[in-house]
Amino acid sequence: MRSSTIKTKRELFYLIVLCVFLNLKLNAQDSSFVINPALIGAIFPNFEYSLKTYNPLLIPYIPFSKGNFYGEVRYNYDRNGTLGLYGGRNFMVGKTGLNIFTPQLGILLGDYQGASFQFYYNLIHPKVEFNLTNQYSVILNDRPNFYFNWSDIQFPIFNKFRAGATVQIFWDNTIRMIDPGILIGYRTDKLYLMLSSFNPWDKEKHFIFFAVQYKIVL
């Protein structure tokens, strides 16, 4: 009986998310289709428990957009062995500095099965950039719900280079992790390179994240 109830709830979640996703996609403005494929990696020299337990070295991550529609396809990003499909809408405000608000709904398939609510906030200014990711996932199989946050602040230096600070937060029913760090990056109109060092002052918890992303306009 319990298994049947969980299956029904899961199917309802997927149906709601799919309807919202299709509605946003069909109502997107007529404009270019933009794909930003990325490869994310992590190195954990001494950290016994961390994302290393759940994520392999390389994580494929494919954001895409058309008009105000913004979607993502990602594997091993949410949890290891889990496919995430996300759809949402960009709301843009500002003149000197651009504020972008992006609520999204997502479906998780694989090791973790359920749905996510995700919210992005990005401030893009000539002198500073601030990025905030909030994600809460409701899991419908025998895995815990979880909350994830990735935030960073970046300051442009030396033309296309940038430097700043970042933090990752992960919470579920047994784990509470808050990992602050520093980052450096390089950005052009099409290419973005990022390297983040979390807990560099603590040998036991130190780990490194890197990302390579490229912009394709169709």
Side-chain angles (χ1 to χ4, degrees):
M1 182 67 178
R2 181 174 179 273
S3 176
S4 177
T5 303
I6 291 175
K7 185 177 180 181
T8 302
K9 288 182 178 179
R10 185 184 306 153
E11 290 171 347
L12 181 60
F13 256 118
Y14 294 164
L15 180 60
I16 292 171
V17 174
L18 181 60
C19 289
V20 173
F21 187 98
L22 290 175
N23 181 65
L24 289 167
K25 184 69 175 70
L26 291 172
N27 286 284
Q29 297 176 1
D30 184 16
S31 61
S32 298
F33 186 63
V34 181
I35 307 173
N36 296 278
L39 203 56
I40 304 171
I43 300 171
F44 302 87
N46 303 294
F47 201 0
E48 291 299 327
Y49 179 83
S50 65
L51 292 175
K52 179 181 180 181
T53 308
Y54 295 94
N55 295 119
L57 179 62
L58 297 176
I59 302 167
Y61 173 60
I62 308 175
F64 57 94
S65 60
K66 182 176 175 61
N68 289 326
F69 175 80
Y70 176 75
E72 294 178 341
V73 178
R74 56 205 205 190
Y75 186 69
N76 289 327
Y77 181 104
D78 298 272
R79 306 308 271 160
N80 192 21
T82 301
L83 174 68
L85 305 172
Y86 288 82
R89 181 179 175 86
N90 289 324
F91 297 90
M92 302 184 185
V93 181
K95 294 181 179 179
T96 304
L98 181 62
N99 297 272
I100 307 174
F101 304 88
T102 311
Q104 284 188 310
L105 287 176
I107 297 173
L108 301 181
L109 303 169
D111 191 35
Y112 278 67
Q113 300 173 18
S116 290
F117 173 73
Q118 185 163 263
F119 177 76
Y120 287 112
Y121 168 69
N122 308 98
L123 168 62
I124 301 174
H125 187 277
K127 295 184 178 180
V128 65
E129 178 179 332
F130 177 70
N131 303 292
L132 168 68
T133 301
N134 272 298
Q135 174 190 347
Y136 184 75
S137 296
V138 178
I139 307 304
L140 302 175
N141 60 343
D142 58 345
R143 299 286 189 271
N145 300 342
F146 64 88
Y147 167 76
F148 176 71
N149 174 292
W150 180 310
S151 303
D152 65 67
I153 185 167
Q154 305 180 24
F155 300 94
I157 55 173
F158 306 122
N159 195 9
K160 294 179 174 61
F161 291 90
R162 53 194 54 237
T166 183
V167 64
Q168 281 193 50
I169 300 171
F170 179 85
W171 289 355
D172 66 14
N173 59 0
T174 59
I175 301 160
R176 298 288 187 272
M177 293 194 307
I178 302 177
D179 298 309
I182 55 177
L183 69 82
I184 56 173
Y186 175 82
R187 175 175 289 160
T188 68
D189 290 340
K190 291 191 173 182
L191 179 66
Y192 179 56
L193 307 174
M194 183 271 290
L195 181 67
S196 299
S197 179
F198 290 93
N199 305 309
W201 44 81
D202 188 339
K203 182 179 178 181
E204 294 294 320
K205 295 183 178 181
H206 180 224
F207 64 100
I208 297 169
F209 248 83
F210 59 89
V212 180
Q213 188 170 39
Y214 190 76
K215 181 178 180 180
I216 302 171
V217 180
L218 302 177

